[in-house]
Amino acid sequence: MTAPGPFFQFEADFVLGLRCIPMSVRRKLDDCGVKLKLEHWHRLAESERQWLVDQPCESDRERQAYREQLRTWTQRDWGEPAKDLPIDPQPAWLRPEIPEAVQTACHVLQIHLNPADWQALDPLQRFALIKLARPGHEHRNLYPALQEFGLADRSPESPPDV
């Protein structure tokens, strides 16, 4: 499994023009504690969206700068800053155990995900699977993500029938 660039292959249909929030940005939002709605994203200039993709958000200082810039832009565009999200000091994508929602979603797709598979994924890949496996979320990109990460048979075009 190779480390992903800023976008995953399963995001290819909506990354062009940055019309949807890519997983790499969604993780940064969770890491810095900002709730950015899709309508906020659409109001940003493409250069601002690209900045959010490119800007590092690893250190406390970088997360604070990212957060402040987002709040400035949403204040400008909406008259109020984006809402705060609680920051989990030990998010599920950094834990060694597979989240139950991911296990359940994989089971429905008839994919056995074991702890070694989970631990071999990088944090962004784990984050993506967690987001794609959430209950009530449309799971159409989950199987392509599992394929991309080497966790499902790459030959079928669609998930197995259940």
Side-chain angles (χ1 to χ4, degrees):
M1 285 170 253
T2 60
F7 308 115
F8 292 114
Q9 291 173 7
F10 70 83
E11 297 177 297
D13 62 335
F14 56 84
V15 166
L16 186 61
L18 296 172
R19 67 179 175 89
C20 290
I21 304 171
M23 286 290 174
S24 60
V25 172
R26 291 174 66 186
R27 174 163 174 219
K28 292 173 188 182
L29 296 170
D30 280 15
D31 286 345
C32 73
V34 173
K35 171 69 175 169
L36 189 71
K37 296 179 179 180
L38 189 57
E39 56 259 24
H40 292 144
W41 178 257
H42 287 153
R43 293 281 293 270
L44 296 172
E46 190 169 340
S47 61
E48 293 166 340
R49 286 182 255 164
Q50 188 63 52
W51 184 91
L52 292 170
V53 169
D54 297 337
Q55 192 65 25
C57 194
E58 298 295 322
S59 70
D60 288 342
R61 186 173 162 186
E62 290 169 343
R63 283 189 291 274
Q64 184 62 30
Y66 199 90
R67 177 184 174 79
E68 288 175 13
Q69 186 60 69
L70 270 168
R71 291 177 64 80
T72 297
W73 286 336
T74 55
Q75 174 73 44
R76 174 200 69 201
D77 293 343
W78 291 87
E80 61 182 330
K83 300 224 182 298
D84 293 334
L85 283 176
I87 298 173
D88 186 342
Q90 186 58 281
W93 56 89
L94 296 180
R95 295 185 204 141
E97 62 276 348
I98 305 167
E100 187 175 326
V102 173
Q103 281 284 37
T104 300
C106 286
H107 179 74
V108 167
L109 293 172
Q110 301 174 5
I111 294 172
H112 176 70
L113 183 62
N114 64 52
D117 294 331
W118 179 255
Q119 292 164 13
L121 297 172
D122 68 46
L124 184 56
Q125 291 170 319
R126 291 181 192 178
F127 175 86
L129 292 180
I130 290 167
K131 292 298 183 184
L132 294 171
R134 288 181 310 197
H137 184 266
E138 181 184 327
H139 294 161
R140 92 181 145 91
N141 284 323
L142 179 59
Y143 193 76
L146 290 162
Q147 287 180 307
E148 183 175 340
F149 303 160
L151 301 171
D153 181 13
R154 298 189 66 85
S155 59
E157 289 298 315
S158 59
D161 293 329
V162 289

